[in-house]
Amino acid sequence: MVKDPGRLVEIDVVDLRFPTSRSLDGSDAMHPDPDYSAAYVVLRTDIGDGLEGHGFAFTLGRGNEICVQAIRSLWPLLKGLVVDEVLADLGTVTRRLTSDSQLRWLGPEKGVVALATAALVNAMWDLRAKRAGLPLWKLLCGLSPEALVAEVDWRYLSDALTPDQALDLLRVRVPGKAAQEARLMESGLPAYTTSAGWLGYSDETVRARARDAVRDGFTYLKVKVGADLDDDIRRCAALREEIGPDRRLMIDANQRWDVGQAVEWIGHLARFDLHWVEEPTSPDDVLGLRAIREAVHPIGIAGGEHVQNRVVFKQLLAGSALDFCQIDACRVAGVGENIAILLLAARYGVPVCPHAGGVGLCEMVVHLAAFDAIAVRGEDPDRVVEYVDHLHEHFLDPVVVARGNYRLPDRPGYSTEIRPETLSRFRFPDGAYWAEDRGVSGQPGAATTTDADLEGAPT
Ligand SMILES: [Mg+2]
């Protein structure tokens, strides 16, 4: 009798929400009240080795349930597939998810259906790395150039980068990979902190957190701007005073401005010696970003956390609209699409500075940044990875940042696994936290959509 191969048999999907809006953690000019949330997937097999894949997409609260449903809608495309075949060819499986003849109408390759794809693909990569007994970054670094190129969906890219050109980029790194890995194990990856400068924080909090960051060894800090120019000038002045002239200061407008307004506003803040301006306008506006970039030079333009797929990244990079490429672990179609974006950034010589403002994003992007530093772009003095110090305690393998540098993870997997007690406590709306919240206040929880909640929300 032929033994049945192990198959993907089941997923749990959890609507997980943290009440971060209550402390204004994560607040910015467009998102004043985020509840950091995850549409969280646990992927199970019938192999019996106890290994599960964990992945998620990040959202800000309301609407997380739509992402959860989209994951459930995609799951039939994976259910019953043979585990070994899936994990050996995640490029093909990812394309299966992005190419479904009916579901693709919801995107294609953008919006909620793309977030849901990211959650599932990330879970599959987590499972692959766990079964290999390696942290994800090390698994990726151990793949041959040919194997990495096979993970990429090359549709729509050939005018900017071909598979053969990508192979050339990757082969250049092969002889130096071991030495670079050893160096990074020693030094870590440079991090910057956003935790001093959320828009909802008082000036006193901003100053205190900046002093903490300097004491902790950070040499880059980022502050949210874009709601009120006088406030921005005052906060940038305070931050520059706290961090001194030699540390780098970045600002993030979270898409707040039109092009002309951005140029004018940035002009008022340029005196604070800005390293970059992040998302000054719409993330889709390639021409606008390029115009701003040309006008505010030598201040750099950063973006990418809301860029929906590799095709838009191609335009931003080939079109000279970005100085810093901010990949996101959960917005595009998971690891494979991020490999494509890392290759495009390397092709155009743009440093990759991953976005990590959210729950679990720090845990994930450190893997992608390490892979980039070892096997794709290699050494780059401008690579700096975002760090926010929220919610790490909920992860089984939380990031470690010491003296302003990420340590490389050493546990097998993608560091995506959330503690079971967290899943039961913060599951929305019936987890213990949200149930207690309703009981105590007699009102719906902060993440429940009501007309009152929507008042004052950005439009
Ligand atoms: Mg940002």
Side-chain angles (χ1 to χ4, degrees):
M1 185 174 137
V2 178
K3 184 173 177 293
D4 189 54
R7 294 178 187 273
L8 301 177
V9 291
E10 186 183 33
I11 53 168
D12 282 346
V13 193
V14 181
D15 183 342
L16 187 66
R17 306 191 192 189
F18 299 96
T20 47
S21 63
R22 301 190 177 183
S23 52
L24 299 178
D25 300 334
S27 53
D28 65 50
M30 291 294 255
H31 315 97
D33 59 349
D35 280 328
Y36 278 1
S37 301
Y40 187 80
V41 175
V42 182
L43 176 63
R44 297 202 178 83
T45 76
D46 61 1
I47 291 175
D49 58 3
L51 295 180
E52 301 167 338
H54 292 247
F56 54 88
F58 167 64
T59 79
L60 297 189
R62 289 188 290 273
N64 203 44
E65 73 279 7
I66 305 173
C67 213
V68 165
Q69 181 53 52
I71 293 167
R72 292 194 175 118
S73 298
L74 286 165
W75 166 239
L77 300 173
L78 301 178
K79 186 176 181 181
L81 297 182
V82 174
V83 176
D84 287 341
E85 292 174 8
V86 166
L87 300 187
D89 192 5
L90 280 171
T92 297
V93 176
T94 301
R95 189 161 162 162
R96 181 187 184 111
L97 292 174
T98 58
S99 304
D100 178 78
S101 62
Q102 296 184 3
L103 285 165
R104 78 181 298 282
W105 195 263
L106 302 179
E109 300 188 68
K110 61 172 81 76
V112 170
V113 73
L115 296 174
T117 302
L120 285 164
V121 174
N122 287 335
M124 289 189 285
W125 276 96
D126 178 55
L127 181 61
R128 179 172 173 180
K130 284 174 176 167
R131 297 195 77 217
L134 295 170
L136 180 83
W137 66 266
K138 200 165 173 64
L139 170 77
L140 292 172
C141 291
L143 296 178
S144 68
E146 292 77 10
L148 289 167
V149 163
E151 298 294 347
V152 170
D153 183 346
W154 288 97
R155 286 178 296 182
Y156 319 124
L157 296 184
S158 61
D159 54 324
L161 183 69
T162 66
D164 283 343
Q165 290 171 324
L167 283 172
D168 290 343
L169 285 170
L170 293 165
R171 284 171 180 152
V172 167
R173 297 286 157 234
V174 171
K177 282 199 292 191
Q180 176 71 336
E181 177 180 329
R183 201 188 68 73
L184 290 180
M185 291 297 287
E186 185 71 26
S187 68
L189 285 160
Y192 76 85
T193 179
T194 307
S195 297
W198 299 117
L199 201 71
Y201 284 179
S202 68
D203 289 5
E204 293 70 32
T205 300
V206 168
R207 281 183 180 273
R209 293 207 169 207
R211 284 194 291 273
D212 290 347
V214 169
R215 190 196 59 223
D216 291 342
F218 287 98
T219 56
Y220 295 74
L221 278 87
K222 191 171 80 183
V223 61
K224 298 291 184 175
V225 299
D228 180 275
L229 180 58
D230 290 338
D231 285 349
D232 292 348
I233 291 171
R234 196 182 66 254
R235 286 152 58 92
C236 284
L239 273 174
R240 182 48 83 192
E241 189 180 305
E242 295 293 345
I243 68 176
D246 296 332
R247 294 182 183 84
R248 285 185 161 156
L249 180 62
M250 296 90 88
I251 62 173
D252 185 353
N254 289 91
Q255 314 160 23
R256 183 68 180 222
W257 303 314
D258 273 21
V259 172
Q261 189 185 18
V263 172
E264 190 181 335
W265 201 299
I266 295 163
H268 288 292
L269 301 176
R271 75 182 96 148
F272 301 111
D273 188 17
L274 303 175
H275 183 52
W276 78 48
V277 179
E278 185 170 319
E279 289 199 312
T281 193
S282 164
D284 296 339
D285 190 355
V286 178
L287 298 178
L289 287 165
R290 182 166 61 194
I292 297 168
R293 179 172 182 255
E294 288 170 356
V296 306
H297 181 80
I299 299 171
I301 299 297
E305 67 183 85
H306 274 89
V307 173
Q308 52 214 5
N309 54 48
R310 68 200 178 285
V311 186
V312 181
F313 269 107
K314 177 186 77 172
Q315 294 166 68
L316 290 163
L317 293 164
S320 303
L322 288 183
D323 296 283
F324 302 95
C325 175
Q326 296 177 305
I327 58 168
D328 184 288
C330 294
R331 183 161 295 277
V332 301
V335 175
E337 188 153 26
N338 268 313
I339 294 172
I341 298 162
L342 293 174
L343 286 164
L344 284 166
R347 153 79 175 82
Y348 289 98
V350 176
V352 174
C353 301
H355 167 246
V359 59
L361 300 184
C362 297
E363 274 69 20
M364 301 170 86
V365 294
V366 65
H367 289 271
L368 301 175
F371 165 61
D372 182 46
I374 294 167
V376 186
R377 169 89 166 153
E379 187 63 28
D380 186 338
D382 288 323
R383 178 185 300 104
V384 59
V385 184
E386 184 168 25
Y387 175 68
V388 297
D389 63 356
H390 309 300
L391 306 172
H392 301 293
E393 66 275 17
H394 298 294
F395 287 81
L396 285 176
D397 185 20
V399 286
V400 177
V401 173
R403 299 304 302 161
N405 288 277
Y406 276 93
R407 311 306 303 176
L408 271 54
D410 56 9
R411 285 176 62 146
Y414 197 3
S415 307
T416 40
E417 191 164 347
I418 287 181
R419 295 180 178 283
E421 58 271 29
T422 294
L423 295 180
S424 58
R425 179 160 175 72
F426 291 100
R427 189 177 60 226
F428 186 85
D430 57 340
Y433 175 86
W434 296 109
E436 286 167 17
D437 184 58
R438 283 194 304 278
V440 169
S441 67
Q443 298 292 324
T448 305
T449 304
T450 68
D451 289 344
D453 284 331
L454 291 173
E455 285 175 14
T459 56

